[in-house]
Amino acid sequence: MSKFKKWMKASLLISGLSIILLFIVTVNSETIETVLKIKYEYIILAVIMHMVAYFMWALRTKSMSQGIDYKIKFLSCVKIVTASKFAASITPSSIGGEPLRIELLHQNELPIGRASAIVLGERFMDALLILFSAPMALYILRDGFSNSSLDIIFIMGEFILVSVLLITLYGLLRPGNLKRIIHFIAIKLTKLLGKKREDQIYHVLKKIDSELYNFHASLRMLLREGRISLVCGMLFTVFYWLFLFSILPVILMGLNQNPPVIITFAAQILLLIITAVPITPGASGVAELGASTLFSIFVVSSLIGVTVVTWRALTYYMNLLVGGFVSIKIAKDTELINRLFG
């Protein structure tokens, strides 16, 4: 069985067990009474908002590609985003989304280096927005919870995000050093694998040097000539997260609750940092446990299970469903996922 299939099965199993446990602990007569009165129009609205979030990300990708003089069709960008969300949903800390997105951009005639610049730029924008929002979220929720285990996981998530941000900045500011590090690793590999592999590694290094040049050339182009594209990309980033974070309060409205929108946003920002810790595929189990703890600040205990399950269905299982459909519909995506992660 490929690693891809193992991750998917593990992700679904852990998530399913977590959901069953939540239902056992939280469901009572009040839960059933509330569910019977659910306003389905709000659930439909939440689904639409998630679809709009896909479109915001696709517009960001399109805008960033235009900034380096490459034009990709909007529908192609939607396909790239949804397929990569599928891969991200079944790999630890969403690591599968980036290589798949780079490869799919490459299939749309972007050199690997330029595709990497777009994907790295997108992740940099996401990390910047979340890291700047995190202190505000902590301040808003400062009296809401006191769980030492959650604190440790949050600190680990924050450390990972900051590390990625610093490594990215170092690579941008010191491209020569990055090249030397890659060559150093390649030389060590040559000694390890023997002289027979020397020619292969030499050709790989030439390709890496070429793509690193494309990568930094693309970043320079974005920073100098594509600044409008960068500004648009940041705006689409803000809109993407606004739509995604708005799903939770809309779900609560559907459950006849009156959610404090700012607090729901703050809880999701902290949850996003917690799920950055690469513990399980798709953050299964971690997301459900973290959500049940953080959402308990503004959701009554009888509705915690229903809220977490509905939220997870629309933000996680929907990624699996839509992204999986796109990947299966376009058979080469399925083969590519298997090749990348199998």
Side-chain angles (χ1 to χ4, degrees):
M1 187 189 295
S2 70
K3 189 184 291 185
F4 158 67
K5 288 179 181 177
K6 287 180 181 178
W7 274 339
M8 187 170 182
K9 286 188 175 182
S11 178
L12 291 172
L13 179 63
I14 296 168
S15 182
L17 290 173
S18 302
I19 286 169
I20 291 168
L21 182 62
L22 269 176
F23 270 128
I24 292 171
V25 172
T26 63
V27 171
N28 56 28
S29 57
E30 290 179 25
T31 308
I32 296 167
E33 188 179 334
T34 303
V35 169
L36 290 173
K37 295 177 182 176
I38 194 169
K39 297 175 181 176
Y40 290 101
E41 60 269 25
Y42 283 96
I43 306 303
I44 294 169
L45 176 60
V47 172
I48 293 169
M49 291 176 80
H50 197 175
M51 295 300 295
V52 174
Y54 288 143
F55 297 153
M56 290 297 109
W57 193 332
L59 285 169
R60 178 174 70 175
T61 300
K62 183 175 174 61
S63 173
M64 298 277 282
S65 63
Q66 286 175 340
I68 54 174
D69 288 339
Y70 280 86
K71 291 185 179 179
I72 306 177
K73 292 179 182 178
F74 175 68
L75 286 178
S76 296
C77 291
V78 173
K79 174 200 153 188
I80 290 168
V81 168
T82 50
S84 69
K85 289 292 279 183
F86 174 70
S89 296
I90 57 171
T91 51
S93 195
S94 303
I95 57 172
E98 276 66 39
L100 181 60
R101 203 153 66 253
I102 289 169
E103 183 60 36
L104 291 175
L105 284 167
H106 181 52
Q107 287 181 6
N108 280 270
E109 300 182 356
L110 269 77
I112 292 289
R114 302 211 166 199
S116 300
I118 291 174
V119 171
L120 187 65
E122 290 177 341
R123 273 301 171 220
F124 187 81
M125 289 176 179
D126 289 335
L128 208 60
L129 185 65
I130 297 304
L131 287 174
F132 272 112
S133 304
M136 195 182 303
L138 273 173
Y139 178 78
I140 292 169
L141 299 175
R142 64 192 183 282
D143 300 321
F145 64 95
S146 54
N147 187 320
S148 57
S149 299
L150 201 63
D151 288 343
I152 292 168
I153 296 173
F154 172 74
I155 291 167
M156 288 173 64
E158 186 86 5
F159 175 77
I160 289 169
L161 286 176
V162 170
S163 298
V164 169
L165 202 62
L166 290 176
I167 291 168
T168 302
L169 279 172
Y170 182 79
L172 296 179
L173 297 173
R174 296 285 186 270
N177 289 351
L178 180 62
K179 183 177 176 179
R180 280 192 288 273
I181 290 168
I182 292 171
H183 278 252
F184 173 78
I185 294 169
I187 290 167
K188 292 295 181 184
L189 280 173
T190 303
K191 290 179 180 178
L192 186 68
L193 298 173
K195 291 288 183 181
K196 291 181 181 179
R197 299 294 180 108
E198 193 171 345
D199 287 342
Q200 290 179 341
I201 291 175
Y202 172 74
H203 288 303
V204 169
L205 278 177
K206 281 188 69 177
K207 179 68 175 173
I208 289 172
D209 288 346
S210 172
E211 295 304 343
L212 277 175
Y213 172 79
N214 280 327
F215 174 76
H216 289 289
S218 300
L219 288 175
R220 283 196 298 271
M221 189 180 293
L222 276 170
L223 291 170
R224 293 174 185 174
E225 301 166 26
R227 280 175 285 188
I228 293 174
S229 293
L230 274 177
V231 172
C232 290
M234 197 65 217
L235 283 173
F236 288 131
T237 300
V238 172
F239 286 132
Y240 167 77
W241 288 110
L242 278 176
F243 277 105
L244 208 60
F245 286 159
S246 297
I247 290 171
L248 178 58
V250 169
I251 289 170
L252 289 170
M253 289 176 193
L255 293 170
N256 296 289
Q257 304 298 298
N258 187 23
V261 176
I262 298 299
I263 294 177
T264 64
F265 277 33
Q268 290 178 89
I269 289 167
L270 296 189
L271 185 58
L272 198 65
I273 294 171
I274 290 169
T275 54
V277 180
I279 298 174
T280 60
S284 295
V286 177
E288 286 83 2
L289 177 62
S292 62
T293 303
L294 289 167
F295 295 178
S296 65
I297 297 168
F298 48 84
V299 179
V300 295
S301 58
S302 61
L303 292 181
I304 287 289
V306 173
T307 302
V308 171
V309 169
T310 309
W311 169 79
R312 193 71 168 144
L314 295 183
T315 58
Y316 173 69
Y317 287 102
M318 187 172 168
N319 286 339
L320 288 178
L321 185 65
V322 176
F325 174 78
V326 170
S327 298
I328 292 168
K329 185 76 174 174
I330 311 297
K332 63 182 178 181
D333 284 0
T334 310
E335 293 170 9
L336 181 59
I337 291 170
N338 273 302
R339 182 156 54 85
L340 284 171
F341 309 114

